[in-house]
Amino acid sequence: MAGMIITVLGARGTIGSRLADQLEERAHDVRRVSRRSGVDARTGVGLREALRGADVAVDCLNHMALRAATAEDFFRGTAQHVVRSARSEGVRRLVCVSIAGAADPAVNRLLGYYRGKAAQEQVYSTSREAVTIVRSTQWYELMDDVLRRASIGPVSVLPTMTVAALSADRAARHIADEIDASVEDLQDRTLTLRGPQTATIREIARTILAARGSIGGRRPRALVQLPYLGQGIAGGGLVPADGIVDDLTLEDWLAAGPSS
């Protein structure tokens, strides 16, 4: 459906910026919203104005908090502000971009960030608005940040984490397809995304290093993995059992370049 007004919250982030690009390519009127644009979803300042007249609001907000209380406060609070503002402005559909497995206690027990994402999902799913929850696995592009956080000198101590990663651009394309298909639907919907291969992030890091020589500016001489985020994450709790399986492999993504 062309010609919608779509507000993208968190439009400066990895997925928000790519999704906004995708939607604009489809001739939608996209409002790219972030704190730099004067909208603060934490307090609600500017939200109603950003959503006024919009057909769809997409929550791509992100806050990498390790403490559960901090993450839950951020994600629950921002979601509540978005729901209230969207209801006041008559937005037809809300889209929450979340993480596959985030609500599983075996996954979120040790990582507060996932507890926050689970709280975010809960706010949207109980809002009585027309909502799409997008549950995606990790993106290849996130490896830059993972290596920066996990590296100490020449050694990267990675969490044992089994994922089915996909390209962020492909994830944005699938979300844009869902938005086009769902705006007239009054029912709640769920979109689950995963990549074609299951691997640990250490295996992914090794493949990227072999192809590029560095990740996020890091050139570790040793990649160690330890299950410090728990057995749920180590054992594949972040890999969805079903959903859309994107066909772009890590090797093809590397061959085509980081913007493929």
Side-chain angles (χ1 to χ4, degrees):
M1 179 180 176
M4 290 187 288
I5 299 174
I6 302 174
T7 298
V8 179
L9 303 159
R12 296 180 60 85
T14 299
I15 195 67
S17 60
R18 287 166 166 81
L19 177 59
D21 289 344
Q22 282 278 340
L23 294 168
E24 286 179 345
E25 288 176 8
R26 300 175 188 219
H28 296 304
D29 180 1
V30 178
R31 297 172 180 170
R32 297 175 183 249
V33 173
S34 67
R35 292 184 71 181
R36 289 194 184 184
S37 68
V39 178
D40 189 348
R42 294 191 192 203
T43 62
V45 171
L47 261 180
R48 289 190 60 175
E49 292 81 359
L51 295 173
R52 189 158 295 152
D55 299 290
V56 180
V58 189
D59 186 345
C60 297
L61 295 166
N62 197 29
H63 183 56
M64 183 51 74
L66 299 180
R67 292 184 63 250
T70 302
E72 288 178 323
D73 180 67
F74 175 85
F75 285 110
R76 181 180 291 111
T78 54
Q80 288 171 340
H81 282 304
V82 172
V83 167
R84 284 195 292 265
S85 297
R87 183 179 296 132
S88 296
E89 298 304 323
V91 177
R92 289 192 282 170
R93 176 162 290 274
L94 303 177
V95 179
C96 167
V97 180
S98 188
I99 300 170
D104 182 352
V107 167
N108 67 36
R109 183 172 62 88
L110 295 179
L111 187 57
Y113 175 70
Y114 290 134
R115 293 266 292 275
K117 295 299 287 184
Q120 180 191 47
E121 284 191 30
Q122 195 269 341
V123 171
Y124 281 109
S125 63
T126 59
S127 68
R128 299 184 181 179
E129 304 300 310
V131 170
T132 299
I133 303 293
V134 179
R135 297 187 174 115
S136 176
T137 52
Q138 288 64 35
W139 309 307
Y140 301 139
E141 291 84 351
L142 291 179
M143 289 305 301
D144 285 3
D145 187 58
V146 170
L147 262 289
R148 280 194 293 265
R149 290 174 179 272
S151 296
I152 305 173
V155 178
S156 293
V157 185
L158 302 169
T160 306
M161 178 182 288
T162 303
V163 299
L166 76 162
S167 156
D169 283 320
R170 291 295 190 98
R173 186 184 308 174
H174 292 303
I175 297 169
D177 288 343
E178 165 65 19
I179 290 170
D180 282 338
S182 68
V183 69
E184 301 293 351
D185 186 353
L186 298 179
Q187 302 301 311
D188 288 347
R189 295 165 66 101
T190 301
L191 174 67
T192 304
L193 302 173
R194 57 159 292 168
Q197 303 158 307
T198 300
T200 65
I201 60 171
R202 181 171 69 170
E203 291 168 334
I204 294 172
R206 283 175 171 168
T207 300
I208 297 175
L209 285 170
R212 294 183 175 168
S214 67
I215 302 176
R218 302 279 184 170
R219 301 175 183 270
R221 291 198 291 269
L223 294 174
V224 179
Q225 66 176 6
L226 297 171
Y228 55 80
L229 295 182
Q231 291 301 321
I233 288 175
L238 295 173
V239 179
D242 53 15
I244 293 175
V245 181
D246 188 77
D247 62 359
L248 185 70
T249 65
L250 176 60
E251 291 76 12
D252 289 341
W253 176 76
L254 285 166
S259 62
S260 63

